[in-house]
Amino acid sequence: MLHLESVSLDFPVFAHEARSLKRILLGQSRQVEPQYIRALDDVTLNIHKGDRVGLVGPNGSGKSTLLRVLAGIYRPTAGRFMSDCRTTPLLGFGVGAHMDNSAFKNIRILLGAGGVRPTDDDMEAIWEFTELEDKFKYLPMRSFSSGMVMRLLFSALTHFQPQVLLLDEWLSVMDERFAQKSAKRMLEVVTNSEVLILASHDHDLVRQTCNRVIRLERGRIVDISSGAGLGCSRK
Amino acid sequence: MQSLVKSILVISMKTAGLWREAWSTVCYANLLALNDLSLRYASSALGPFWITGQMLFFVLGLGFVFSSVFNTPLAEFLPFLAISITFWTFFSGCINEATSAILDGGSLIKDRAVSPQTFVMKVYIRNIYMLAHNILVPFMVFVVFQKYSFTNFLLAVPGILLFILIAGLMMAPVALFAVRFRDFKPFVESLIQLTFLVTPIMWRPDLLVNRTYVVDYNPLAVLFSLWREPLLKGEMADAHNWVVGLGVLLGAALLNRLAARSYRNCVFWI
């Protein structure tokens, strides 16, 4: 499904003056070319249907970058990346939501980013899951409490079953009453997806959820071990 | 034979997939553009027709003052000004707003894998919607001053389509350059202001006695003439102007293709 063959990624970092066209044209910029930081280094990885892959490692080890390469956001600067499936990256919880929009409009925008056009029935099902009152459907989201916003975002993002799910940290809702329900839904989504790739600092969570745990350091895979796999109850 | 059929099937499926993806991008860009407009005019009782109202007051105000400054009858000057300002607003909106199009969609590009092209298209579609609202102003002016002619309108259609197409093609290079060079936005804004002054939008080109090269060598003035002459005078523009217009189209398409290669890298510049 997803194959990385000796993939490296050099991330260009521009000096402040190299971002100024005026300075470059006037010859005032000494450093026009960017400096490159190796974010991924010679990564080879084959991910097949049914895999639950956990990515662990310290900050800056390349977990998020690897997820973005797998999502097709970053193109490798060396090596080959092949994919024959549609990935669904959920790398930021509230990305795309606008607080001046109504809840319903935000749902359409959030799902549209993944190429999904929800039907009216989908919209109702998403709303029902949030357990919010109907009067909030068309109110601007800035009138919601943070707990209500989280419920809505979670409900929208987990309504459709992705083929390949890429997660940067587990999605959860802290709302006391809603936490159990959301944890159950999340487990369903993860269980039913053909592939899960989860980057997290929570080693216990990764070991319980994934059947393959990959440790990254400075952009390199330093260790691959097996996890307990999905099916174990989460803490 | 079997392998040929298989190859054709594979190519057809790939092409269909690309078209489906392109259509999906257009649909999402359209959703975002409509959302932008509804948010912008949410607190207005007129809704998006506030755009039309703003344009109407602007054209009437400028028309009364400048018809007197240029000593031109209002019945001649106002239709010219209304149609010119309407399309200039579209063109300048496309170019100016392209400078922040990709940066504004940064989080969706980096975290949801939405293509940067979607956000350039969003700005283009948004400006087309605004043009559709603004066009009511010249239409009203043409009706009031009895300048309306359906034949003239039909003669102007090819020039209008060319103008709208070129504005869209120019957006990708501007948008990508603005992501790479952060001081490109004020440069574009200044250039657009200067272009407004040296292009016959507020002043009629026949008022130029000397220095006609200001119009002759200004590609934007030529693009305006391709549809404005037919619309106001019922005459097709010169063949020479059409050659220039098609040359600009070719140049814009080439620039667009060259810039489009940078779409894959621009995520690193955000």
Side-chain angles (χ1 to χ4, degrees):
Chain A
M1 290 191 87
L2 295 155
H3 306 283
L4 297 168
E5 205 177 286
S6 300
V7 162
S8 293
L9 189 126
D10 293 322
F11 210 101
V13 180
F14 292 92
H16 180 66
E17 54 194 38
R19 306 213 73 157
S20 165
L21 183 64
K22 189 184 82 180
R23 280 176 186 238
I24 290 172
L25 290 177
L26 295 177
Q28 292 173 342
S29 179
R30 277 165 290 169
Q31 198 178 353
V32 177
E33 290 300 315
Q35 281 188 310
Y36 288 95
I37 292 174
R38 182 144 286 200
L40 289 178
D41 192 3
D42 197 24
V43 173
T44 298
L45 188 63
N46 290 310
I47 298 169
H48 303 285
K49 196 172 173 179
D51 276 353
R52 303 278 176 268
V53 181
L55 303 175
V56 294
N59 288 331
S61 57
K63 301 186 295 294
S64 301
T65 306
L66 182 53
L67 283 178
R68 287 195 169 94
V69 169
L70 292 167
I73 298 167
Y74 293 156
R75 294 207 186 191
T77 41
R80 287 202 329 152
F81 167 55
M82 287 160 286
S83 163
D84 59 1
C85 54
R86 189 186 175 93
T87 54
T88 303
L90 295 181
L91 309 182
F93 202 40
V95 168
H98 198 299
M99 290 300 131
D100 282 328
N101 276 332
S102 70
F104 260 39
K105 199 169 262 182
N106 265 324
I107 294 173
R108 289 193 189 281
I109 289 173
L110 284 169
L111 294 176
V116 177
R117 293 164 82 177
T119 62
D120 289 345
D121 288 344
D122 291 323
M123 297 295 284
E124 286 305 325
I126 290 169
W127 189 255
E128 205 180 309
F129 188 83
T130 64
E131 295 177 6
L132 297 174
E133 287 178 64
D134 276 358
K135 67 179 179 186
F136 288 108
K137 272 183 188 172
Y138 300 103
L139 287 180
M141 261 175 57
R142 67 184 136 74
S143 60
F144 287 25
S145 69
S146 55
M148 288 161 76
V149 171
M150 294 293 266
R151 281 186 187 209
L152 183 81
L153 296 177
F154 182 87
S155 178
L157 294 174
T158 56
H159 179 72
F160 288 95
Q161 184 57 57
Q163 189 186 8
V164 176
L165 180 60
L166 308 177
L167 281 177
D168 199 351
E169 294 298 343
W170 193 265
L171 298 186
S172 60
V173 179
M174 292 303 148
D175 186 321
E176 211 176 297
R177 238 169 55 79
F178 201 68
Q180 238 180 346
K181 188 179 170 182
S182 65
K184 191 171 162 245
R185 160 76 77 93
M186 193 60 202
L187 209 58
E188 272 170 26
V189 170
V190 165
T191 311
N192 295 330
S193 65
E194 290 179 19
V195 170
L196 166 74
I197 302 160
L198 166 68
S200 179
H201 287 286
D202 185 342
H203 287 225
D204 290 342
L205 165 71
V206 169
R207 294 211 173 275
Q208 285 170 10
T209 314
C210 302
N211 52 23
R212 225 174 355 147
V213 182
I214 294 170
R215 182 168 179 82
L216 287 158
E217 272 177 28
R218 293 182 183 179
R220 293 184 79 95
I221 294 179
V222 292
D223 183 48
I224 300 180
S225 57
S226 51
L230 197 76
C232 300
S233 59
R234 292 184 52 241
K235 276 182 188 173
Chain B
M1 187 65 188
Q2 222 173 5
S3 64
L4 180 71
V5 172
K6 202 175 164 186
S7 305
I8 291 171
L9 271 174
V10 169
I11 291 169
S12 313
M13 279 169 73
K14 276 188 179 171
T15 313
L18 285 174
W19 276 106
R20 251 198 316 274
E21 207 162 300
W23 179 243
S24 164
T25 301
V26 172
C27 288
Y28 191 54
N30 184 50
L31 177 73
L32 293 174
L34 286 171
N35 184 53
D36 278 2
L37 286 175
S38 71
L39 278 178
R40 194 181 291 184
Y41 299 101
S43 54
S44 158
L46 289 172
F49 284 97
W50 181 244
I51 310 169
T52 317
Q54 276 177 317
M55 178 59 82
L56 183 66
F57 284 111
F58 186 62
V59 165
L60 289 179
L62 273 183
F64 276 108
V65 174
F66 279 86
S67 65
S68 171
V69 171
F70 296 132
N71 199 22
T72 312
L74 197 63
E76 268 182 48
F77 188 67
L78 213 53
F80 168 86
L81 181 73
I83 197 73
S84 305
I85 288 277
T86 299
F87 277 86
W88 167 256
T89 304
F90 166 75
F91 183 83
S92 61
C94 284
I95 303 299
N96 272 332
E97 291 168 22
T99 56
S100 53
I102 295 175
L103 287 173
D104 286 350
S107 53
L108 279 168
I109 293 169
K110 287 182 89 166
D111 292 338
R112 285 278 192 281
V114 179
S115 67
Q117 290 94 319
T118 307
F119 297 95
V120 178
M121 198 173 286
K122 174 190 87 165
V123 172
Y124 188 48
I125 293 173
R126 189 172 69 203
N127 276 286
I128 289 177
Y129 280 127
M130 290 179 75
L131 176 66
H133 284 86
N134 282 336
I135 205 83
L136 289 174
V137 173
F139 179 74
M140 284 187 274
V141 171
F142 274 54
V143 169
V144 168
F145 290 102
Q146 296 175 341
K147 289 273 182 189
Y148 183 76
S149 155
F150 189 64
T151 322
N152 289 5
F153 171 71
L154 286 181
L155 286 174
V157 166
I160 289 174
L161 291 179
L162 186 76
F163 186 87
I164 291 173
L165 182 63
I166 288 172
L169 288 171
M170 288 305 296
M171 289 176 72
V174 172
L176 288 159
F177 225 69
V179 184
R180 171 66 182 81
F181 298 104
R182 294 301 164 91
D183 58 351
F184 191 57
K185 184 181 166 72
F187 171 75
V188 169
E189 284 167 356
S190 307
L191 190 69
I192 286 285
Q193 276 177 5
L194 181 69
T195 311
F196 176 68
L197 295 174
V198 298
T199 305
I201 295 158
M202 275 200 349
W203 46 272
R204 291 166 54 115
D206 51 10
L207 288 175
L208 278 182
V209 182
N210 299 315
R211 298 174 189 163
T212 51
Y213 56 82
V214 171
V215 172
D216 296 341
Y217 295 104
N218 179 346
L220 199 60
V222 175
L223 290 180
F224 268 88
S225 75
L226 290 181
W227 50 266
R228 201 167 49 191
E229 301 299 312
L231 203 59
L232 295 171
K233 296 179 186 165
E235 300 163 2
M236 277 302 275
D238 293 345
H240 168 258
N241 281 0
W242 270 103
V243 172
V244 174
L246 292 172
V248 175
L249 174 69
L250 190 67
L254 272 173
L255 265 177
N256 183 285
R257 288 317 304 154
L258 280 174
R261 292 178 185 177
S262 297
Y263 271 126
R264 59 195 278 184
N265 292 328
C266 80
V267 67
F268 294 117
W269 306 337
I270 293 171

